[in-house]
Amino acid sequence: RIVQTQVQGHQAEALRAVARPGDIRMISSVTCIFCTKARQYMTEHRIPFEECLIERDPVCLADYKRLGASGTPTLLVRGQRHLGFDPQRVAATLGD
């Protein structure tokens, strides 16, 4: 458990180092537990992100459909679509 916590901390540091406001937009659903976990992770580790909920925001739902997204969370990382939240993958995209 300690090792897992340390790894998560390093991943969060790497992501926080490259993430800027406006880089990450998370399209979420009210009932999505994975969205909740991603939101908690990014909030806890002070990673800047924007979030919209498909059930509450018609523009968000339209974006979700336009992207052909197949689930939530769908992240837009500098315009690149990611299905699900993977801190390493997001950091790699931002590092490009």
Side-chain angles (χ1 to χ4, degrees):
R1 188 103 170 121
I2 292 172
V3 171
Q4 182 181 11
T5 301
Q6 289 175 335
V7 168
Q8 278 187 345
H10 292 312
Q11 289 174 345
E13 286 175 25
L15 181 51
R16 189 173 44 250
V18 293
R20 300 291 171 253
D23 282 348
I24 303 169
R25 179 174 181 229
M26 183 167 72
I27 299 174
S28 302
S29 173
V30 172
T31 59
C32 170
I33 61 169
F34 302 107
C35 300
T36 300
K37 289 180 184 283
R39 179 183 317 111
Q40 288 172 342
Y41 181 95
M42 289 190 283
T43 300
E44 177 183 328
H45 294 290
R46 300 179 319 278
I47 297 162
F49 73 103
E50 299 169 8
E51 180 180 22
C52 66
L53 297 163
I54 59 174
E55 297 91 349
R56 296 182 182 163
D57 182 344
V59 172
C60 184
L61 179 59
D63 288 345
Y64 178 79
K65 290 179 178 179
R66 178 182 51 78
L67 292 165
S70 59
T72 56
T74 295
L75 280 79
L76 293 174
V77 182
R78 290 189 185 147
Q80 287 189 27
R81 183 181 63 168
H82 292 217
L83 178 59
F85 176 66
D86 177 347
Q88 286 181 305
R89 184 173 173 218
V90 174
T93 300
L94 292 173
D96 289 345

